Amino acid sequence: MHSREQEAPARPARPARPPFLRELLLVAGLFLIYKFGRQLVAGHTGEAFRDADRVWDLERAVRLPGEGGVQSLLLHGDTAVHLANTYYATVHFPVTAGFLIWLYLRRPAHYVWARRVLAAVTAAALVVHLAFPLAPPRMLAEAGLVDTARVYGPSVYGPPQTDHLSNQFAAMPSLHFGWALMVAVGLIAATRSRLRWLWLLHPLLTLVVIVGTANHYWLDALVAAALLGLALTVVPRPHRAPHTAGGSHARPVPAEGDSLVGAAR
């Protein structure tokens, strides 16, 4: 009996979950810094439109597909465009928040990793916003696109001259796409279901929505993906626990505890 107990492998320690209040204040604080930081370039209208012309010309020079092709698909019916506007207005923040909450409760080590990656991407995005103010394609006359939110609703933006809650000249990079892509990457990394790859539909649908509603250029999404790729390279991922020896006497470890170790903060 004594020897059998000695042969049984020890369970890996569950990763520590960061204090909830600290994490809530940290995430809220980082978000407020980002929101207020965007306002620093809110008045750079002329520069934002000059940059928009450059982005539009560059996309045509490298033969990227026109944003109008995606928008024309949405404009076939009022229902499709209204759903796209609703998706743009209502899905971005709740899905990202739900993603972080689920990781915090079920995968603490992956939560810390995902929070760091999102913070790095958002901080890099703020630097780009400050250095490269950019008017979205819905404002660019040369693009010939419809401001679908204003025409069909719902809209999260007011007229740029009176909208003091958001900076509409911070189109590049698209955090709608960057965060959506991180949600998919994070859930694929943190789960084991064969269906987890379906989470890639979220950034794909987000890409169609942000381009089709004329809120972003293709390049906005490409830059967001590049920043996310850089952040994923720099921020270390949680380690998988090694398999323990023990043969038929080895006891299974619960899903949350067996796969994650080292929840560094």
Side-chain angles (χ1 to χ4, degrees):
M1 185 73 178
H2 178 68
S3 61
R4 184 172 295 182
E5 289 180 356
Q6 286 183 331
E7 292 176 2
R11 288 172 179 256
R14 288 177 180 267
R17 182 175 292 118
F20 175 76
L21 182 58
R22 189 196 72 178
E23 289 301 309
L24 180 63
L25 293 175
L26 177 61
V27 172
L30 291 173
F31 178 72
L32 289 176
I33 290 173
Y34 170 74
K35 290 294 287 185
F36 284 120
R38 282 167 53 113
Q39 298 304 315
L40 296 178
V41 292
H44 295 194
T45 305
E47 186 178 355
F49 278 97
R50 287 192 294 273
D51 289 339
D53 288 331
R54 296 188 184 102
V55 167
W56 184 258
D57 291 341
L58 177 60
E59 287 191 343
R60 306 292 77 77
V62 298
R63 300 185 182 277
L64 286 177
E67 287 81 356
V70 179
Q71 185 172 89
S72 64
L73 296 176
L74 298 181
L75 294 179
H76 279 306
D78 291 355
T79 300
V81 69
H82 185 79
L83 287 175
N85 291 332
T86 302
Y87 192 95
Y88 182 86
T90 63
V91 171
H92 177 50
F93 288 110
V95 167
T96 307
F99 163 69
L100 289 174
I101 292 170
W102 186 85
L103 288 181
Y104 178 84
L105 295 175
R106 300 296 299 274
R107 302 289 189 271
H110 277 92
Y111 162 77
V112 174
W113 165 68
R115 185 250 288 154
R116 287 176 173 175
V117 171
L118 284 172
V121 170
T122 305
L126 179 58
V127 173
V128 177
H129 294 334
L130 297 175
F132 194 75
L134 180 66
R138 57 187 165 81
M139 295 183 182
L140 188 63
E142 181 182 352
L145 298 173
V146 176
D147 185 346
T148 60
R150 182 179 60 82
V151 175
Y152 297 93
S155 176
V156 295
Y157 302 121
Q161 300 81 1
T162 59
D163 185 0
H164 302 297
L165 297 178
S166 59
N167 176 14
Q168 299 186 48
F169 298 138
M172 180 180 288
S174 168
L175 285 183
H176 267 75
F177 181 74
W179 287 10
L181 187 57
M182 181 55 202
V183 167
V185 169
L187 289 173
I188 290 170
T191 58
R192 283 292 170 264
S193 169
R194 293 182 179 179
L195 298 178
R196 69 189 187 278
W197 296 99
L198 291 177
W199 281 109
L200 290 173
L201 292 175
H202 175 46
L204 178 60
L205 182 56
T206 299
L207 179 60
V208 171
V209 165
I210 63 174
V211 172
T213 58
N215 280 294
H216 287 283
Y217 306 89
W218 292 113
L219 283 177
D220 297 341
L222 291 175
V223 171
L227 292 178
L228 177 60
L230 180 61
L232 290 171
T233 302
V234 172
V235 179
R237 284 186 57 181
H239 297 293
R240 292 278 159 190
H243 293 290
T244 56
S248 60
H249 297 292
R251 297 174 63 187
V253 181
E256 180 176 327
D258 74 334
S259 56
L260 306 176
V261 293
R265 293 175 189 170

